[in-house]
Amino acid sequence: MFYKKTVFFLFSFFLAQSAFSQQLDIQGHRGARGLLPENTIPAFIRALEEGVTTLELDVVITKDKQVVISHEPYMSADICSKPNGEAVSKSEAHELNIYRMTYEEVASFDCGSRGNARFPQQEQMKVAKPLLREMIRIVENYLKKNNLPPVMYNIELKSSPKGDGISHPQVSEFADLVQQVIAQELPESRYTIQCFDFRVLKYYHEKYPQVTLVALVSNARRVEATVETLGFTPAIYSPNHTFLRKKDVELSHSLGMKVVPWTVNDRERMEKLVEWGVDGIITDYPDRAKGL
């Protein structure tokens, strides 16, 4: 009898520990932007080494319809250098529109050697913006080679009404191009689609209802307003953490939404959010989230 009780206790304990360990989703923002050049393969690999459960990233579209990982739909003057080695200037950055460039042209720019003034710890290295397909395959091979568990991919489409036909395709084409790549590389259980542009989420909700959607919110728009504007309840509410309140977390959960705030780089703030019951945290420094 004692043996059975002991076995039952140990089983329950480890089951509880397993559930707890999966409870908080640590997402590496743009890979691990605080440590390595953002949205690059080295940054994503570093995030895996730091133990993230999700890789957070942004995608844009090239002239030749390739899905590229990049936060801006142009070459940023803050981090990129031209093929000749000269830094991209602020006056020419928006002219270097990725939607008007082939991927071969995009890949000729170095967006890592200059570092990033906002992230002094970031290691500098020569690196180009990768294709989404390329990144997924390299990450999956790395996980397999190192016997690591699967990770999620939280993919943001960098869409806006003013960018239609200028810095990206129309919503339907943008979403279809991205979805085509993802569907070829990952099962539906391994990725989420996020966007500030609710047109994208509405399109996905109608055409790809099986995809898990994340509502990104950058301002003080509250939970109820987010759901009302969308016209449906997304799986995840993802606000700027500075606007998040404990009661927002509670309300989201009551509506069946998880809460994953961004971008949290302060350990004390991370701990407070965890105390409030958030389901995940997006951070530039996944190393700071260890042990949460």
Side-chain angles (χ1 to χ4, degrees), residues 51-72:
V52 302
T53 46
T54 297
L55 296 174
E56 192 275 350
L57 58 136
D58 314 275
V59 293
V60 300
I61 305 297
T62 63
K63 179 181 179 180
D64 50 347
K65 308 303 182 183
Q66 298 299 304
V67 183
V68 177
I69 301 177
S70 176
H71 183 261
E72 290 81 20

Side-chain angles (χ1 to χ4, degrees), residues 229-248:
T229 302
L230 271 176
F232 67 91
T233 303
I236 302 171
Y237 173 67
S238 187
N240 181 323
H241 79 94
T242 61
F243 294 111
L244 187 64
R245 305 168 300 180
K246 184 178 180 180
K247 61 183 179 181
D248 295 323

Side-chain angles (χ1 to χ4, degrees), residues 9 19 30 55 63-64 73 96 119 121 125 151-152 180 193 231 241 251 256 281:
F9 171 79
R30 307 186 200 179
L55 296 174
K63 179 181 179 180
D64 50 347
L96 295 171
F119 302 95
Q121 290 179 243
M125 61 176 65
V151 294
M152 291 287 293
Q180 182 179 24
I193 293 294
H241 79 94
L251 177 56
I281 285 175

Side-chain angles (χ1 to χ4, degrees), residues 23-36:
Q23 189 174 10
L24 189 67
D25 180 21
I26 302 301
Q27 301 196 14
H29 186 233
R30 307 186 200 179
R33 180 167 63 153
L35 307 174
L36 286 169

Side-chain angles (χ1 to χ4, degrees), residues 6 18 25 73 95-96 104 114 133 163 165 169 187 198 211 221 253:
T6 302
S18 176
D25 180 21
E95 295 301 317
L96 295 171
E104 183 178 3
R114 290 170 53 199
R133 177 179 286 107
F198 283 6
V211 175
R221 178 194 282 155
H253 287 166

Side-chain angles (χ1 to χ4, degrees), residues 33 38 78-79 114-120 122 124:
R33 180 167 63 153
E38 66 179 63
D78 294 330
I79 61 174
R114 290 170 53 199
N116 188 322
R118 292 177 56 198
F119 302 95
Q122 186 186 101
Q124 298 176 11

